[in-house]
């Protein structure tokens, strides 16, 4: 049941229970739709709801951006929004979910945005996440956005350009938002796939230098993407199975298409996770191989250097009776022996690819 609706107020401002806050401070748009067509004019939330009350095939769509609790309280009272759902919408940081409160649905969707190449020193993330909360009633849709990249302006314009689709009611708006969010998942996974292919080429290129930290950064972002995408599967399937009468049969078929795209994204993310694990193993193996090669070189040079060191150490013991000590050719022969031995060792190590 909805709470008591107060009298109409000014179109310029909306009064919450505790504060007077200008509409432009948190309401992105407030529109009335009748038979799929937007009515002209600017509306406060009370006026919009009063306008659709008693009309057939009419509903209100209000878009909010990061409202505070005091700012959304007035709207919540007018539309009878459940206090637990309102609390989730204000605090954000929710998992994707679908909840039913009497004659209202509350859905949370995670939005994602690709920001750039993996760089451990970068301040921004590769994949930036946000949230869209949707309150769905018989004659209203209220969207609450968190994040700068989660704009629904293009979704609203596309629906307004298709009155036949918009005439299906508030459920059509919910489908358009879900479809927009899942399409953004496809775009982000395509961009990440390009990054992974580039990293794969670098990992397996001969004599290439690979920073394993970059792979870890990308893997972390893929896991963040998975936390946004995978939990959304169950809510979307509920909408396709007639979870609520607020989603008519004509709209459920559209949600099946969204579910198919979501399954595709989920499979891609699972593949990315496995491939990045393989790349990490390959990068670590490459580093280990390089270290072994370096150790062989160091060992070979130490063996070569030990020859003159050992001979010089023997002849530096200052004994009187030593071979060739008093011979005029002793010194040249010793040098020749040192050089010949070192050259022989060098050729042996070179033939064994230690040098």
């Amino acid at each position: 049941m909805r709470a008591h609706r107060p009298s109409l107020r000014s179109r310029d401002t909306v009064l919450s229970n505790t504060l007077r806050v200008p509409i432009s401070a948190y309401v992105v748009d407030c529109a009335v739709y009748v038979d799929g067509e937007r009515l002209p004019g600017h509306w406060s939330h009370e006026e919009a709801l009063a306008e659709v009350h008693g009309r057939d095939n009419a509903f209100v769509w209000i878009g909010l951006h990061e409202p505070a609790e005091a700012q959304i309280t007035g709207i919540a009272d007018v539309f009878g929004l459940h206090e637990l759902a309102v609390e989730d919408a204000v605090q954000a940081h929710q998992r994707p979910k679908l909840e039913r409160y009497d004659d209202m649905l509350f859905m949370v969707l995670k939005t994602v945005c690709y920001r750039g190449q993996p760089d451990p020193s970068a301040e921004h993330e590769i994949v930036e996440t946000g949230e869209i909360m949707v309150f769905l009633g018989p004659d209203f849709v209220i969207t609450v956005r968190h994040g700068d990249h989660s704009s629904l302006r293009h979704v609203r314009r596309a629906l307004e350009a298709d009155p036949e689709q918009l005439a299906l009611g508030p459920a059509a708006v919910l489908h358009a938002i879900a479809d927009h969010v899942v399409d953004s998942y496809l775009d982000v996974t395509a961009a990440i796939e390009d990054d992974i292919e580039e990293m794969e080429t670098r990992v397996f290129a001969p004599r290439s230098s690979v920073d394993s930290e970059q792979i870890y950064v990308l893997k972390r972002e893929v896991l963040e993407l998975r936390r946004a995408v995978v939990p959304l599967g169950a809510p979307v399937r509920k909408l396709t199975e007639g979870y609520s009468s607020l989603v008519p049969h004509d709209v459920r078929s559209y949600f099946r298409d969204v579910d198919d795209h979501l399954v595709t994204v989920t499979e891609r993310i699972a593949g990315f996770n496995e491939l990045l694990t393989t790349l990490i193993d390959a990068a670590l193996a490459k580093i280990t191989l390089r270290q072994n090669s370096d150790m062989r070189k160091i060992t070979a040079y130490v063996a070569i250097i030990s020859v003159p060191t050992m001979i010089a150490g023997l002849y530096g013991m200052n004994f009187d009776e030593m071979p060739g000590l008093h011979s005029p050719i002793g010194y040249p022969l010793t040098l020749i022996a040192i050089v010949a031995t070192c050259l022989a060792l060098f050729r042996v190590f070179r033939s064994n690819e230690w040098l």
Side-chain angles (χ1 to χ4, degrees):
M1 298 295 293
R2 291 201 184 112
H4 173 69
R5 295 172 183 169
S7 60
L8 298 181
R9 301 178 184 178
S10 169
R11 293 186 180 184
D12 296 329
T13 59
V14 178
L15 301 181
S16 70
N17 285 356
T18 56
L19 295 175
R20 289 178 179 267
V21 183
I23 288 180
S24 59
Y26 61 98
V27 178
V28 178
D29 199 355
C30 178
V32 176
Y33 298 93
V34 180
D35 294 325
E37 299 287 347
R38 177 170 180 160
L39 298 185
H42 300 282
W43 307 85
S44 69
H45 59 274
E46 298 100 331
E47 292 173 325
L49 190 59
E51 182 68 24
V52 302
H53 188 64
R55 283 179 177 262
D56 293 331
N57 201 19
F59 67 93
V60 181
W61 182 359
I62 300 177
L64 308 175
H65 182 244
E66 298 183 355
E69 183 176 359
Q71 297 167 342
I72 199 175
T73 300
I75 294 178
D77 290 342
V78 170
F79 287 88
L81 306 182
H82 197 279
E83 59 181 4
L84 295 178
V86 172
E87 182 180 356
D88 289 344
V90 172
Q91 294 180 354
H93 304 295
Q94 304 294 320
R95 284 172 55 87
K97 61 182 179 179
L98 178 66
E99 295 178 341
R100 180 168 51 194
Y101 298 97
D102 297 330
D103 60 344
M104 183 198 78
L105 289 179
F106 176 67
M107 189 171 186
V108 178
L109 304 99
K110 282 280 191 180
T111 60
V112 296
C113 179
Y114 178 79
R115 289 301 187 188
Q117 295 288 337
D119 184 357
S121 62
E123 295 182 358
H124 65 77
E125 296 178 333
I126 302 170
V127 178
E128 183 177 304
T129 60
E131 293 176 48
I132 297 178
M133 286 82 166
V134 183
F135 296 89
L136 185 72
D139 52 6
F140 68 86
V141 177
I142 300 174
T143 57
V144 180
R145 299 188 295 107
H146 291 268
D148 296 331
H149 64 272
S150 56
S151 174
L152 296 176
R153 183 177 301 130
H154 297 296
V155 176
R156 189 186 287 264
R157 289 178 180 175
L159 282 174
E160 291 176 352
D162 187 5
E164 183 178 352
Q165 182 73 13
L166 199 56
L168 295 175
V173 176
L174 179 61
H175 161 261
I177 294 172
D179 187 56
H180 167 71
V181 170
V182 174
D183 284 346
S184 70
Y185 293 164
L186 291 170
D187 295 337
V188 170
T189 53
I192 291 179
E193 186 174 15
D194 292 338
D195 286 345
I196 293 177
E197 288 179 356
E198 180 181 349
M199 192 167 294
E200 184 180 14
T201 302
R202 291 169 55 190
V203 167
F204 292 103
R207 297 186 178 88
S208 62
S209 178
V210 180
D211 187 358
S212 58
E213 188 175 356
Q214 291 183 347
I215 306 178
Y216 279 111
V217 169
L218 191 54
K219 186 176 177 64
R220 180 193 64 197
E221 297 303 311
V222 168
L223 293 177
E224 180 72 17
L225 181 60
R226 185 176 68 177
R227 283 192 289 268
V229 173
V230 174
L232 185 59
V236 172
R237 273 181 230 102
K238 285 183 179 180
L239 294 174
T240 64
E241 297 168 354
Y243 178 71
S244 171
S245 60
L246 293 174
V247 182
H249 183 271
D250 293 340
V251 182
R252 293 175 198 166
S253 59
Y254 293 106
F255 278 106
R256 292 190 186 98
D257 182 65
V258 175
D259 187 38
D260 290 341
H261 290 171
L262 194 61
V263 170
T264 300
V265 175
T266 303
E267 291 175 350
R268 284 187 183 180
I269 293 174
F272 292 163
N273 192 37
E274 293 177 2
L275 181 56
L276 286 171
T277 300
T278 302
L279 290 181
I280 291 174
D281 294 339
L284 293 177
K286 195 170 186 178
I287 293 173
T288 302
L289 183 62
R290 187 182 299 115
Q291 290 176 342
N292 291 338
S293 178
D294 293 340
M295 287 301 299
R296 285 200 302 266
K297 290 182 180 179
I298 294 172
T299 303
Y301 282 117
V302 168
I304 293 173
I305 294 174
S306 65
V307 173
T309 303
M310 179 186 65
I311 296 176
L314 289 175
Y315 278 88
M317 292 188 293
N318 296 323
F319 290 111
D320 290 334
E321 299 297 332
M322 295 186 69
L325 186 63
H326 301 289
S327 173
I329 61 173
Y331 179 68
L333 288 176
T334 302
L335 292 179
I336 293 173
I338 291 175
V339 173
T341 305
C342 290
L343 289 176
L345 289 174
F346 181 82
R347 293 188 61 181
V348 170
F349 290 136
R350 176 62 65 88
S351 64
N352 290 330
E353 297 183 352
W354 282 39
L355 291 174

